[in-house]
Amino acid sequence: MTDNRQERIRRRAHAIWEQAGRPDGAHQQHWDQAAAEIDGGESRPKKTARPKAPARPKEPAAGKVTSSKTARPRKG
């Protein structure tokens, strides 16, 4: 591998890492993606280094009481 190519891959992998939110443990995926981009490869890594979206809050089940107050019988 030439020094120029390796440096270009290193810089691109660093940019990918920063765009992904600087996650730990994804350096090989970033390097592989950068190498594929630099080499003009058509195959991209199956696993991209993107941060996961925050989980949506679950909706309450139908008919389930969601209030912290307990139901009281009406006076009447």
Side-chain angles (χ1 to χ4, degrees), residues 13-14 16-18 20-34 45 47-51:
H14 184 79
I16 293 167
W17 172 70
E18 286 185 333
R22 300 180 175 186
D24 289 334
H27 58 277
Q28 188 63 52
Q29 288 89 356
H30 297 156
W31 185 271
D32 292 344
Q33 181 180 345
K47 201 173 188 181
T48 58
R50 294 182 183 166

Side-chain angles (χ1 to χ4, degrees), residues 37-49:
E37 290 177 13
I38 297 300
D39 294 340
E42 294 186 16
S43 63
R44 289 224 166 167
K46 292 179 183 177
K47 201 173 188 181
T48 58

